[in-house]
Amino acid sequence: MDLKKIIDCKESAAKYIIDEITHVIKTCGKRDPGSEGEKKACEYMAKVLEDCGCEDVKVEPCEVAPKAFYGWIYFTITFVLISIALFFFFPVAGIPLIAAGFAIVLLQFGVYKKLLDPLFKKKTSHNVTAIKKCTGEIKRRIIFNGHPDATWEWPVNYAFGGVGFEAHAIIVVVGALYYLVLSIMYVAQNGVAFAMPDLENPLIKAGLWGLLFVPFTIGLYFMENYKLVVDGANDNLTGCYMGIAVLKYLKDAGIELENTEVGVILTGSEEIGLRGAKAWVDAHKNDFKDVPTFIYSFDTINEPKYLMANYRDLNGTVKSDAEVADLFFEAAQAVGVPCKKGWIPPLGGAVDAAAFTQGGFRAAGVTGLNHKLERYYHTRLDNVESLNKDGIANCFAATVKTLEMFDAGAKQ
């Protein structure tokens, strides 16, 4: 199916997306994971998807623990601070504490395991699944994904930008490693007995200098401001509306695909470790396996120069489906849209595609942000005013071309 006339509507599609994002922000309230605002946004967008011609639209609840994802802070930072104090009297006891702290942050934040989730208060998040059926025999299915939730503000990123935010985290990690190494050296030199600090010992002197790390370490307790939920205009209502806009413009143009189903999945609570997407995978692990199905997870579509097909996800630990990523990249090239091949690096986080991939689905992420964090990322500046119309328009054009090329495969 030739979709050029829809691709040519990319400017009006971008305006539609921005208008809808503005409406959601103004009418649904704050959309932190598991909140009433997140639910309202899901219900509103589900109705929009029905209006866009989706015959099968479901809003499904799932249980999440919103404060658990960053709960590693309370454990890891506390363990490190206790270890620093122990270094001067009983350093052997601090070694396992620091090691345990690193293990917790690696599992909970590094690879998004639900290590601490059972310890935190639960709330109900929501997912939306919408499918636009084809007119004939189904041979292929393409699904566009975004997450409707928004995060709490990162105060350091707001105050100092990405360089300050990342520098703060690095200083804390270096400080923890510093005391881990000092503790091991002290035990190797002096054994494991409890003792009052010998101020003439060079290692103790080094430990006193290391106290300069303590203010930064304590500061990490305040990595997130739970009193301020950002608007999440870029991150990630842009991702939600990319697929919705495609369906709207198909309907407005009176276009029906014969052999390709088109779907949209909105997965809640992405900001707390892909929890909505993980729940969706559990609920639908036996679904959508009847025909070749590609899932594209869009996240933070902003500046045109940063549009990227992601070949690795989840801090670089999950390999995306290369064919899925290739198709978007080739489609962008075909319509003259700048697009890069790349990955989500360590400390870069993840998009929901990682959870779909881990669940056995063919998926890849599409992002449009600088992974050297911009000041709007996870701050109050992620508002309607910071949206980039050109970036949204380009991504829409590439997405429609992806659908056209994918549909062509159903005719072969």
Side-chain angles (χ1 to χ4, degrees), residues 383-403:
N383 50 31
V384 171
E385 288 73 24
S386 68
L387 292 170
N388 189 303
K389 186 177 180 180
D390 291 339
I392 293 171
N394 279 1
C395 187
F396 175 82
T399 302
V400 176
K401 188 63 177 181
T402 300
L403 171 59

Side-chain angles (χ1 to χ4, degrees), residues 197-389:
D198 176 8
L199 298 181
E200 297 302 317
N201 187 317
L203 294 176
I204 296 298
K205 290 181 179 180
L208 291 171
W209 278 107
L211 295 177
L212 292 172
F213 290 110
V214 170
F216 296 96
T217 305
I218 293 174
L220 206 61
Y221 278 124
F222 308 99
M223 176 178 169
E224 289 212 312
N225 178 7
Y226 285 113
K227 295 182 180 179
L228 177 57
V229 181
V230 308
D231 285 346
N234 292 280
D235 184 13
N236 184 36
L237 290 178
T238 56
C240 293
Y241 269 94
M242 202 55 60
I244 294 173
V246 170
L247 285 168
K248 171 186 164 52
Y249 277 78
L250 284 173
K251 182 182 179 184
D252 289 352
I255 294 175
E256 299 277 346
L257 301 181
E258 182 180 0
N259 302 115
T260 302
E261 280 191 348
V262 183
V264 169
I265 303 172
L266 307 176
T267 39
S269 296
E270 187 269 357
E271 298 291 3
I272 56 169
L274 318 182
R275 297 311 192 238
K278 288 176 179 286
W280 189 92
V281 166
D282 289 341
H284 296 276
K285 58 187 175 183
N286 297 319
D287 300 335
F288 306 113
K289 301 292 180 69
D290 52 333
V291 295
T293 299
F294 283 11
I295 301 177
Y296 289 95
S297 294
F298 296 91
D299 206 318
T300 316
I301 306 303
N302 192 263
E303 291 189 62
K305 65 182 178 181
Y306 293 128
L307 186 64
M308 184 168 69
N310 292 290
Y311 287 77
R312 295 195 73 87
D313 209 320
L314 213 176
N315 295 311
T317 65
V318 173
K319 186 177 180 181
S320 304
D321 189 295
E323 186 179 350
V324 178
D326 281 343
L327 180 61
F328 184 88
F329 178 78
E330 292 164 6
Q333 288 187 312
V335 292
V337 168
C339 184
K340 301 175 181 178
K341 292 183 177 182
W343 66 316
I344 300 180
L347 301 181
V351 301
D352 282 322
F356 296 126
T357 300
Q358 289 176 323
F361 292 89
R362 302 189 65 182
V366 176
T367 54
L369 78 162
N370 185 0
H371 284 298
K372 295 180 180 178
L373 298 183
E374 302 284 356
R375 190 163 170 250
Y376 74 82
Y377 186 73
H378 285 202
T379 74
R380 67 195 74 182
L381 300 178
D382 186 5
N383 50 31
V384 171
E385 288 73 24
S386 68
L387 292 170
N388 189 303
K389 186 177 180 180

